[in-house]
Amino acid sequence: MIVVQEVHDVAGRDEDAFDLALRESWAPALAESGEARLVWALRQAHGTGASYRVITYTAVRSAEAWGRLAERIAGGDLRAVVDGLDRYRHRATASLLRPVSWSPLQEIDLDAVPEPDESAPASLFMEDTAYPFREHLEDYLAQAGQLYAGMLAEGAERGTSMLEM
């Protein structure tokens, strides 16, 4: 599994239109192949960074499936959908992510991902982004695993968890 994280800097006046386009155009079109699903769309709270920022996470079955998705976006059936999203945003940056070994979320059942639901209650989320020195990456991941694996296990015992679909 690969997760594509995209950070969208959205024009403030178009924030609701962007959300609607994600729900009604992007998510259904993305799902048509069965190889990828929009699993989370999160608004960054004002005051925590640049305002009008939406962060999306798209789960993709494999590196090969990501290649096919990129082709669909570049000139295939998703080109017009992406052009529609571009009307509402200033820019988007993307990163390809893989789960760390200690993450309980190693796979996402793409067939079980529900349709986007605007009536779902808002949730608070925490994203930890760090840029350790390259020569210390393994040390950082081990220490983060000790911290976060315990927090995730405690949360699961209390009935709270990582992002849920």
Side-chain angles (χ1 to χ4, degrees):
M1 175 183 71
I2 292 175
V3 176
V4 180
Q5 176 202 51
E6 292 181 273
V7 178
H8 311 267
D9 291 332
V10 178
R13 69 182 180 279
D14 294 327
E15 189 175 33
D16 291 336
F18 183 78
D19 287 350
L20 186 65
L22 283 176
R23 273 194 315 277
E24 294 185 356
S25 298
W26 177 246
L30 184 66
E32 285 178 7
S33 72
E35 294 187 320
R37 294 285 191 286
L38 177 65
V39 291
W40 299 293
L42 313 163
R43 285 190 186 180
Q44 187 174 40
H46 291 268
T48 62
S51 58
Y52 305 111
R53 183 168 283 169
V54 176
I55 303 167
T56 58
Y57 293 87
T58 300
V60 184
R61 288 195 194 279
S62 65
E64 295 79 16
W66 177 78
R68 289 186 290 276
L69 175 60
E71 290 296 323
R72 291 175 67 199
I73 291 168
D77 65 302
L78 293 179
R79 179 72 256 153
V81 179
V82 170
D83 287 345
L85 292 174
D86 285 344
R87 285 184 292 180
Y88 306 120
R89 60 187 178 190
H90 300 295
R91 78 177 142 254
T93 57
S95 299
L96 297 179
L97 309 174
R98 304 252 334 171
V100 291
S101 62
W102 46 263
S103 173
L105 188 62
Q106 292 296 314
E107 290 293 329
I108 295 174
D109 180 0
L110 297 183
D111 297 327
V113 175
E115 295 291 321
D117 180 4
E118 74 177 273
S119 67
S123 298
L124 184 62
F125 75 97
M126 181 191 87
E127 179 183 58
D128 183 13
T129 304
Y131 300 95
F133 294 108
R134 290 183 195 274
E135 63 271 13
H136 297 292
L137 178 60
E138 294 304 318
D139 295 336
Y140 172 80
L141 290 175
Q143 289 178 355
Q146 290 174 1
L147 172 67
Y148 291 126
M151 288 172 54
L152 293 169
E154 289 173 15
E157 287 177 17
R158 288 191 312 268
T160 59
S161 66
M162 296 176 59
L163 292 171
E164 297 181 35
M165 294 181 276

